Amino acid sequence: MEHIIHPFSELFEQLGLDASHDGIEHFLASHRLPPDMELVDAPFWSKAQANFLKEGLLDDSDWAEIIDHLNVSLR
Protein backbone atom coordinates (compact mmCIF):
# COMPACT_ATOMS: atom_id res chain seq x y z
CA MET A 1 0.00 0.00 0.00
CA GLU A 2 1.28 3.44 -0.88
CA HIS A 3 1.84 5.80 2.04
CA ILE A 4 0.51 9.31 1.30
CA ILE A 5 2.56 12.27 2.48
CA HIS A 6 0.39 15.28 3.33
CA PRO A 7 1.81 18.79 3.22
CA PHE A 8 1.74 20.79 6.46
CA SER A 9 -0.82 23.19 4.98
CA GLU A 10 -3.18 20.29 4.27
CA LEU A 11 -3.16 19.34 7.95
CA PHE A 12 -4.16 22.90 8.82
CA GLU A 13 -6.97 22.71 6.27
CA GLN A 14 -8.12 19.41 7.77
CA LEU A 15 -8.18 21.02 11.21
CA GLY A 16 -10.22 23.96 9.88
CA LEU A 17 -7.38 26.43 10.44
CA ASP A 18 -5.90 29.09 8.18
CA ALA A 19 -3.61 27.06 5.92
CA SER A 20 -1.88 30.01 4.28
CA HIS A 21 1.82 30.47 4.98
CA ASP A 22 1.06 33.52 7.15
CA GLY A 23 -1.77 31.69 8.93
CA ILE A 24 0.45 28.75 9.80
CA GLU A 25 3.25 31.06 10.99
CA HIS A 26 0.79 33.00 13.15
CA PHE A 27 -0.68 29.83 14.65
CA LEU A 28 2.73 28.42 15.53
CA ALA A 29 3.86 31.75 17.02
CA SER A 30 0.66 32.06 19.07
CA HIS A 31 0.46 28.52 20.49
CA ARG A 32 3.02 26.66 22.58
CA LEU A 33 2.89 23.32 24.37
CA PRO A 34 4.69 22.58 27.61
CA PRO A 35 7.12 19.65 27.31
CA ASP A 36 4.93 17.39 29.46
CA MET A 37 1.65 18.00 27.60
CA GLU A 38 0.43 15.66 24.88
CA LEU A 39 -0.45 17.36 21.61
CA VAL A 40 -4.03 16.10 21.71
CA ASP A 41 -4.53 17.54 25.21
CA ALA A 42 -3.73 21.12 24.23
CA PRO A 43 -6.48 23.49 25.38
CA PHE A 44 -6.68 25.28 22.02
CA TRP A 45 -8.09 22.30 20.10
CA SER A 46 -11.80 21.75 19.68
CA LYS A 47 -13.02 18.27 20.55
CA ALA A 48 -13.22 17.39 16.84
CA GLN A 49 -9.68 18.64 16.19
CA ALA A 50 -8.28 16.73 19.17
CA ASN A 51 -10.09 13.57 18.05
CA PHE A 52 -8.72 13.87 14.53
CA LEU A 53 -5.17 14.26 15.84
CA LYS A 54 -5.56 11.41 18.33
CA GLU A 55 -7.03 9.02 15.77
CA GLY A 56 -4.36 9.93 13.23
CA LEU A 57 -1.64 9.02 15.69
CA LEU A 58 -3.28 5.95 17.19
CA ASP A 59 -4.13 4.48 13.80
CA ASP A 60 -0.67 5.37 12.45
CA SER A 61 -2.58 6.84 9.52
CA ASP A 62 -1.05 8.70 6.62
CA TRP A 63 -1.53 11.83 8.76
CA ALA A 64 0.71 10.56 11.60
CA GLU A 65 4.00 11.88 10.22
CA ILE A 66 2.69 15.41 9.66
CA ILE A 67 0.90 15.38 13.04
CA ASP A 68 4.27 14.55 14.61
CA HIS A 69 5.72 17.51 12.73
CA LEU A 70 3.01 19.75 14.19
CA ASN A 71 3.79 18.43 17.66
CA VAL A 72 7.48 19.29 17.30
CA SER A 73 6.64 22.71 15.82
CA LEU A 74 4.54 23.63 18.86
CA ARG A 75 7.40 22.96 21.33
Side-chain angles (χ1 to χ4, degrees):
M1 184 167 89
E2 187 175 328
H3 201 77
I4 299 170
I5 305 296
H6 296 282
F8 206 40
S9 60
E10 196 172 314
L11 176 60
F12 276 71
E13 289 174 3
Q14 189 68 28
L15 292 169
L17 301 171
D18 182 350
S20 69
H21 178 75
D22 290 341
I24 292 170
E25 292 284 323
H26 177 72
F27 183 86
L28 296 177
S30 303
H31 298 88
R32 286 283 160 222
L33 290 176
D36 60 339
M37 181 178 283
E38 295 290 328
L39 174 67
V40 299
D41 295 330
F44 46 82
W45 301 126
S46 69
K47 186 169 177 71
Q49 290 169 323
N51 285 338
F52 173 79
L53 295 168
K54 185 176 182 177
E55 289 173 13
L57 292 170
L58 287 175
D59 295 342
D60 196 25
S61 75
D62 54 332
W63 290 102
E65 187 175 333
I66 202 69
I67 292 170
D68 285 338
H69 178 73
L70 176 61
N71 186 32
V72 170
S73 298
L74 290 169
R75 306 291 170 167

